[in-house]
């Protein structure tokens, strides 16, 4: 199994160039890799673009072009461009991998010791139990409710006038986290408004929300039978406050789990898709009897 | 999409969406005295209707485009959806253009629907086409011959003209051409499913429910010619799957699209099986009724609504997987479809013996949410591609 290596712009002349495009509900993440014959992986480019209200296909195309430029790779050099997430929007893709498959692979690439993954995106969260090859052994997803999603956290941050990147550090400074509804995003938003009017600090509000979300994720993890090392991936993996809250909830429930994030965790889907793309390229080349 | 193909797809889509059977009305109005007879899915001898100058019209319920207001009142909650929407279509007057209905033996529900039809619409021609389940020429063959003769007599009276042997031979030849075009399309799709996506192929196949066979064959030929000219239809790294279980109540188009979007190339299926019931050509020369009987006895496809000795259907499914170089099977059956669901364990056992991967889910013709199916089919496709060689 390959592991993460440092970003190296075309430092290895030979090898397979693959790309992974993870189209999420609020951002497009792109990874460009060079996979050597010895399976050593160089990350040539990583890119995340917020979709906002732009045309999604344009965001994908422009982001892909810029990622290839950063990797100093021409489009025709890419042996396999893989999509994950809303893959049909990636019209240049050769193959598509499902979110769980891609995130599991990306998580093992970044953190080889993990055996479970919590992928928190803008609209959904899911927990997976995986094996050392990144095969998904069991999973659970959140229901339609938005209160366990990144979009909900983003909305609250906006109400509080806090930039997204400040949410995690602020939450970590909380001394008296305030409990919010863990059931319904609408009720939780009402809770937040009440807290603001009661003069609760922003840090305590955010920590309360993180704990509420963490409580839901712990239930998902428990339902999959996960234990041991757990990776946090997806758009909210960069939120140190959420990671800390998740660890606290795990400890509180006496579960034998350690929560990990990686600086590249938000790219886990794109990395996983690119890695699987490399695998599939070699399989297809072998079947066709041509060199990979 | 190039304009010529776009127009063709648009026409097929319009025919698919038209629950009022406007194409049938137009066909009837084109000449005085024309008649049309509806038939439910699975095999009916369309050649006999064609030879009588009658347009056979495939009725496949209302799909996901019809609100069921009255149809539900006639069925228990544990009955499949197609009879509800078919009753709804009839009670709302949409099937008034039809001069009769044939109900082939698919399952208990469709058989009972023929009785309900007789009670609901007295005076209209209704017949339960009880196809033989014994394939011995002296038993099932003799029985089927008598059934066909009875049907021929009924159609003669309805059409007001005799069905001559030469008329029937001509109709058999016309349907042979139609079956040949469908076989070519299925073969082409099996080779290049990215050129002939099933969500599109299905529309063209389905047009044959309301078009005269000559026109339908021409439509299929045009599609076969135009689809490969689309430059953006490129091969993708999808898994190749066979779909099984959809021979009667049809899945919504969105489900087929979902499967393709989830990374599955459908390379064989049992959609609209009535059109492909006979796996080869019917002999044109000689006694045409005898030829229809022989074709039914010897060339009927393997499916749940037909009796076959234990193991035969499983073998047929495995052969389909092998012939179409498929990597897995998706059992995609309507909820409460006894024939399809009761067969599944036997088919699964046959696949397991050959280590062929499979997954299963259920649908209703009006299913509107595909998130779970997409997740399941996508994960199945990933599993085939990433773990089958592990």
């Amino acid at each position: 199994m390959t592991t993460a290596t440092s970003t190296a712009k075309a430092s290895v002349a030979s090898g397979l160039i693959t790309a992974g495009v993870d189209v999420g509900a609020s951002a497009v993440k792109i990874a460009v890799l060079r996979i050597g014959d010895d399976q050593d992986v160089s990350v040539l480019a990583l890119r995340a673009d917020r979709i906002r209200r732009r045309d999604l296909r344009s965001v994908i195309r422009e982001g892909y072009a810029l990622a290839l430029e950063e990797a100093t790779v021409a489009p025709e050099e890419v042996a396999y461009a893989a999509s994950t997430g809303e893959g049909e929007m990636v019209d240049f893709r050769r193959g598509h991998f499902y979110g769980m498959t891609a995130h599991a692979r990306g998580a093992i690439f970044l953190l080889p010791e993990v055996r479970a993954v919590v992928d928190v995106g803008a609209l959904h969260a899911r927990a997976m139990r995986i094996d050392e090859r990144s095969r998904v052994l069991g999973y659970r997803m959140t229901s339609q409710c938005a209160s366990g999603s990144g979009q909900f956290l983003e909305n609250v941050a906006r109400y509080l006038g806090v930039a997204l990147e400040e949410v995690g550090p602020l939450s970590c400074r909380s001394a008296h986290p305030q409990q919010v509804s863990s059931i319904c995003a609408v009720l939780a938003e009402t809770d937040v408004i009440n807290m603001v009017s009661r003069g609760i600090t922003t840090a305590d509000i955010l920590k309360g929300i993180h704990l509420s979300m963490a409580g839901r994720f712990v239930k998902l993890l428990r339902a999959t039978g996960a234990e041991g090392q757990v990776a946090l991936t997806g758009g909210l993996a960069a939120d140190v406050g959420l990671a800390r809250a998740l660890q606290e909830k795990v400890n509180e429930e006496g579960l034998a789990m350690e929560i990990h994030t990686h600086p590249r965790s938000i790219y886990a889907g794109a990395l996983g898709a690119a890695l699987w793309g490399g695998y599939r390229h070699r399989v297809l080349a072998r079947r066709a009897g041509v060199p990979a | 999409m190039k304009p010529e193909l776009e127009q063709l797809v648009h026409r097929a889509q319009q025919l698919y969406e038209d629950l009022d059977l406007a194409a049938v009305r137009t066909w009837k109005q084109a000449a005085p005295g024309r008649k049309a007879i509806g038939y439910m899915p699975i095999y009916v001898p369309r050649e006999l209707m064609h030879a009588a100058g009658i347009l056979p019209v495939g009725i496949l319920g209302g799909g996901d485009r019809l609100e069921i207001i009255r149809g539900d009142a006639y069925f228990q909650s544990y009955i499949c959806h197609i009879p509800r929407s078919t009753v709804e279509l009839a009670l709302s007057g949409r099937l008034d253009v039809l001069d009769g209905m044939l109900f082939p033996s698919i399952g208990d529900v469709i058989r009972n629907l023929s009785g309900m039809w007789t009670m609901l619409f007295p005076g209209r021609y209704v017949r339960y086409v009880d196809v033989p389940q014994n394939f011995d020429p002296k038993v099932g063959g003799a029985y089927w011959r008598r059934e066909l003769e009875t049907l021929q007599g009924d159609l003669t009276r309805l059409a007001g003209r005799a069905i001559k042997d030469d008329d029937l031979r001509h109709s058999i030849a016309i349907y042979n051409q139609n079956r040949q075009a469908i076989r070519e399309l299925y073969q082409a799709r099996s080779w290049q499913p990215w050129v002939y996506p099933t969500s599109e192929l299905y529309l063209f196949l389905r047009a044959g429910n309301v078009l005269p066979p000559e026109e339908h064959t021409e439509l299929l030929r045009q599609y076969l010619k135009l689809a490969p000219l689309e430059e953006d239809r490129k091969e993708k790294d999808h898994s190749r799957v066979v779909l099984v279980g959809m021979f009667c109540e049809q899945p919504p188009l969105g489900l087929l699209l979902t499967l393709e979007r989830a990374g599955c190339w459908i390379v064989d299926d049992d959609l609209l099986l009535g059109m492909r019931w006979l796996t080869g050509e019917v002999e044109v020369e000689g006694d045409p009724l005898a030829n229809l009987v022989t074709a039914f006895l010897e060339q009927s496809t393997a499916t749940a609504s037909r009796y076959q000795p234990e193991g035969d259907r499983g073998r047929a499914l495995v052969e389909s997987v092998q012939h179409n170089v498929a990597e897995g099977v998706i059992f995609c059956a309507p909820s409460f479809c006894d024939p399809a669901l009761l067969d599944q364990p036997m088919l699964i056992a046959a696949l397991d013996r050959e280590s062929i991967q499979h997954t299963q889910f259920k649908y209703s013709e009006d299913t509107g949410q595909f998130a779970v199916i997409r997740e399941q089919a996508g994960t199945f496709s990933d599993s085939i591609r990433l773990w089958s060689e592990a």
Side-chain angles (χ1 to χ4, degrees), chain B residues 259-277:
Chain B
L259 295 179
E260 289 180 326
R261 285 175 182 165
C264 298
W265 289 135
I266 299 160
V267 292
D268 198 15
D269 60 61
D270 59 359
L271 291 156
L272 296 168
L273 201 57
M275 288 184 184
R276 300 178 289 126
W277 183 273

Side-chain angles (χ1 to χ4, degrees), chain A residues 80 85-88 91 93-98 100-101 126 131 133-136 139 141 276 279-280 283-284 286-287, chain B residues 235-238 260-263 327 357 369 371 373-379 381-390:
Chain A
Y80 196 116
E86 296 301 317
E88 57 261 36
D91 41 25
R93 75 189 186 280
R94 184 171 166 198
H96 178 84
F97 300 102
Y98 242 64
M100 280 190 290
T101 316
R126 60 186 150 211
D131 67 11
R133 299 173 304 163
S134 79
R135 188 167 193 168
V136 178
Y139 75 97
M141 288 180 71
W276 280 132
Y279 169 77
R280 281 299 291 173
V283 167
L284 295 172
R286 190 172 67 241
R287 283 184 193 165
Chain B
E235 184 175 5
K236 287 192 170 61
D237 180 22
H238 287 190
E260 289 180 326
R261 285 175 182 165
E327 298 161 292
Q357 293 195 59
Q369 293 291 328
I373 288 174
R374 187 179 169 190
E375 189 87 16
Q376 191 177 337
T379 308
S381 172
D382 284 357
S383 166
I384 285 173
R385 289 179 301 154
L386 302 177
W387 304 110
S388 57
E389 296 192 10

Side-chain angles (χ1 to χ4, degrees), chain B residues 116-340:
Chain B
M116 289 172 61
W117 218 262
T118 308
M119 294 166 75
L120 283 169
F121 307 105
R124 286 195 207 171
Y125 176 68
V126 179
R127 183 163 181 81
Y128 172 53
V129 183
D130 196 1
V131 298
Q133 299 294 342
N134 180 314
F135 291 82
D136 180 339
K138 289 178 185 160
V139 183
Y143 161 79
W144 188 228
R145 168 102 198 189
R146 283 198 303 277
E147 283 290 296
L148 290 182
E149 284 169 352
T150 305
L151 187 59
Q152 185 175 12
D154 289 352
L155 295 173
T156 298
R157 279 188 292 281
L158 200 69
R161 73 179 223 204
I163 301 172
K164 295 176 187 151
D165 280 359
D166 276 344
D167 294 335
L168 191 48
R169 286 189 195 103
H170 173 70
S171 297
I172 288 171
I174 293 290
Y175 274 99
N176 277 343
Q177 289 167 13
N178 188 253
R179 283 185 281 263
Q180 177 62 26
I182 292 173
R183 276 198 298 274
E184 285 176 32
L185 183 53
Y186 265 65
Q187 188 59 58
R189 193 262 314 252
S190 175
W191 286 333
Q192 295 181 305
W194 52 94
V195 174
Y196 305 96
T198 298
S199 48
E200 202 172 82
L201 172 145
Y202 178 69
L203 292 176
F204 285 100
L205 203 59
R206 189 134 169 178
N209 278 333
V210 290
L211 293 179
E214 301 89 337
E215 207 178 320
H216 183 228
T217 304
E218 178 55 27
L219 187 73
L220 295 174
R221 295 260 169 237
Q222 282 185 56
Y223 178 57
L224 268 162
K225 188 179 78 179
L226 292 175
L229 305 179
E230 293 297 312
E231 286 141 15
D232 61 346
R233 297 190 173 191
K234 296 197 169 74
E235 184 175 5
K236 287 192 170 61
D237 180 22
H238 287 190
S239 53
R240 296 170 62 89
V241 301
V242 173
L243 285 191
V244 189
M246 306 164 298
F247 48 85
C248 181
E249 182 175 320
Q250 299 294 291
L253 193 58
L255 193 150
L256 300 176
L257 277 164
T258 298
L259 295 179
E260 289 180 326
R261 285 175 182 165
C264 298
W265 289 135
I266 299 160
V267 292
D268 198 15
D269 60 61
D270 59 359
L271 291 156
L272 296 168
L273 201 57
M275 288 184 184
R276 300 178 289 126
W277 183 273
L278 300 178
T279 56
E281 296 205 350
V282 182
E283 179 60 49
V284 177
E285 300 304 322
D287 177 354
L289 271 190
N291 292 339
L292 282 174
V293 170
T294 304
F296 186 86
L297 296 180
E298 296 176 359
Q299 298 186 87
S300 284
T301 192
T303 188
S305 64
R306 173 196 160 197
Y307 171 75
Q308 282 177 288
E310 193 171 348
D312 279 15
R313 256 198 305 284
R315 269 195 292 281
L317 180 56
V318 170
E319 277 169 20
S320 167
V321 169
Q322 291 165 346
H323 175 74
N324 293 290
V325 201
E327 298 161 292
V329 171
I330 297 181
F331 292 98
C332 180
S335 295
F336 305 112
C337 177
D338 282 353

